[in-house]
Amino acid sequence: MRKIKLMIVTHGLPLGGVGRNITILLRYLDRSLFDVELVMIFNREVFYPIPLEIQTHILERNPLPHVDSIRVDIPIQLLGAREDFIWLELTALKLAELVHQRRPDVVFARELFASTLCLLSRKYWPKEICFVGSVDNHASTMLSHAPKGPLYMFLGREHLQKADKIVCPSEGVASDLMHNFKVTQQQITVIPYPLDLQQIEKLVSEPVDHPWMAECTPIITAAGRLAPQKGFDYLLRALSLVHKQGNLARLILLGEGDEHQRLEDLAAELGIQHCIWFAGKQKNPFKYFARSTVFVLSSLYEGFGYVIAEALACGCPVIATDCPSGPAEILGGGRYGLLVPVADARALAEAITKVLSDPALRQQLAEQGRQRAQDFEARKIVNQYVQVIRDTYGT
């Protein structure tokens, strides 16, 4: 049986869950079943390593194909997005030209933006090429907060149901696609993000060069883009409340983003700036998770909540908001970690205090968390992707 020619399309490999997911997928896909190549839409920093044998194309570097004119049908409420529509159509033509050159059997788009672009491009592809899309976040909530949200909400509703299959990381995302984007249940496959447990086991042993690690003060760690979605302002307010109760825990915040200065200003306003380390981008977050007393996810919404699973794999107790969607699914409704209401600093502070003051609870959560992490082991999860791709192709 000949190999399936698989083209994976993504916006890039930036720091974050989608980038880590793609690199694990590239590492573990069975080369006896697939010839794999990668298309990155943008020519931006690649944060995660790409296996040397993977041929990589950067769409932004490709010249525009010759077109006499470009016509797009723009709804009247989105006339202000005309330039974005035209850019998408031109980029879709670039992608179509590459697809014609490479002739994959299956195109697999990773995340909503890449899936939308592929579906706009698909009308120019050879008819026999299969398409598997994916949506990684709670799309209706995410797009309601995004600057170009109305445009991508419109395009998602118009085109997502045209995919042969759509992969999403949680039942919550699946439900959102069915209720708000006209995608059928038969089109959707739920596959959680994979954990490379062997790699994590190696990375947790790397040293952390920071004086806090030599002290006995409890360490709270959080990770993610410094963006409103992540609810870090509620975490800072919760930390202030924890301090007022007499527990002088410290916070390590991994990540970068536009909210950095606002969060620093809020920390100063709350008088806790000396207890927070804004650690920035970190290639190895696991060494911090493994040395933390508790990991906290304070998000307002998620698609999966990858960092929760990663913290569990490191044996770190987890507290997470019960946001749409993913955290409750990963934590088994509260069995493997504590769940608190969204945007509730007081409830978050109470949960943090509870974990910090109860060694037996921390031990229990650490042991159960490691067991739960086994459910996301890389080979097991990547085999689910393999099955979707093969079923779509008909092998």
Side-chain angles (χ1 to χ4, degrees), residues 337-356:
L338 304 188
L339 291 165
V340 299
V342 178
D344 189 334
R346 189 165 298 279
L348 194 54
E350 290 173 358
I352 292 171
T353 300
K354 180 178 181 179
V355 173
L356 296 183

Side-chain angles (χ1 to χ4, degrees), residues 265-383:
D265 292 344
L266 177 59
E269 177 187 325
L270 295 169
I272 56 173
Q273 70 273 22
H274 58 289
C275 294
I276 301 175
W277 175 29
F278 288 88
K281 287 184 179 180
Q282 296 289 334
K283 285 188 177 292
N284 179 6
F286 310 109
K287 63 184 181 181
Y288 297 95
F289 299 161
R291 290 166 174 80
S292 298
T293 316
V294 63
F295 176 86
V296 176
L297 181 130
S298 52
S299 297
L300 307 183
Y301 60 93
E302 286 286 345
F304 181 62
Y306 207 178
V307 287
I308 296 175
E310 291 174 333
L312 294 178
C314 296
C316 184
V318 170
I319 299 168
T321 52
D322 190 7
C323 66
S325 50
E329 294 178 42
I330 297 171
L331 295 177
R335 179 180 175 187
Y336 304 107
L338 304 188
L339 291 165
V340 299
V342 178
D344 189 334
R346 189 165 298 279
L348 194 54
E350 290 173 358
I352 292 171
T353 300
K354 180 178 181 179
V355 173
L356 296 183
S357 62
D358 191 338
L361 175 62
R362 292 199 302 274
Q363 181 66 25
Q364 177 189 343
L365 292 175
E367 292 174 359
Q368 292 179 338
R370 285 194 182 94
Q371 292 173 6
R372 174 59 169 157
Q374 297 295 322
D375 295 333
F376 308 114
E377 189 273 327
R379 292 192 188 280
K380 185 186 304 183
I381 298 301
V382 171
N383 283 340

Side-chain angles (χ1 to χ4, degrees), residues 49 72 86-87 143 152 164 181 212 391 393:
V72 292
I86 292 173
W87 181 87
L143 294 176
Y152 286 97
D164 297 315
F181 294 90
W212 288 356
D391 288 349
Y393 184 58

Side-chain angles (χ1 to χ4, degrees), residues 62-183:
N62 290 4
L64 278 172
H66 176 73
V67 287
D68 294 325
S69 63
I70 192 81
R71 179 180 178 276
V72 292
D73 296 317
I74 304 173
I76 190 168
Q77 70 272 25
L78 292 174
L79 285 176
R82 176 179 173 77
E83 289 187 5
D84 293 307
F85 268 91
I86 292 173
W87 181 87
L88 283 166
E89 283 290 342
L90 290 171
T91 307
L93 282 169
K94 278 190 187 183
L95 178 59
E97 189 170 75
L98 182 62
V99 168
H100 275 273
Q101 292 170 4
R102 305 303 303 170
R103 290 283 174 156
D105 298 309
V106 180
V107 175
F108 178 26
R110 290 300 294 112
E111 47 73 44
L112 176 61
F113 173 76
S115 296
T116 302
L117 182 66
C118 285
L119 287 164
L120 289 171
S121 178
R122 195 181 188 189
K123 58 182 173 284
Y124 305 114
W125 300 354
K127 299 297 183 186
E128 67 272 14
I129 295 176
C130 303
F131 176 65
V132 179
S134 62
V135 176
D136 292 82
N137 217 318
H138 196 270
S140 64
T141 305
M142 176 185 71
L143 294 176
S144 69
H145 293 88
K148 296 180 182 179
L151 168 62
Y152 286 97
M153 182 70 80
F154 169 79
L155 292 173
R157 286 172 173 164
E158 287 292 307
H159 296 287
L160 282 177
Q161 75 271 21
K162 299 174 186 175
D164 297 315
K165 286 285 185 180
I166 293 182
V167 175
C168 52
S170 67
E171 295 291 347
V173 172
S175 178
D176 182 50
L177 291 176
M178 289 186 285
H179 286 97
N180 294 305
F181 294 90
K182 299 183 286 188
V183 179

Side-chain angles (χ1 to χ4, degrees), residues 3 5 18 46 192 205 227-228 253 261 271 282 302 323 338-339 364:
K3 297 179 183 180
K5 294 182 68 176
V18 174
V46 175
S205 61
L253 194 49
Q261 188 58 55
Q282 296 289 334
E302 286 286 345
C323 66
L338 304 188
L339 291 165
Q364 177 189 343

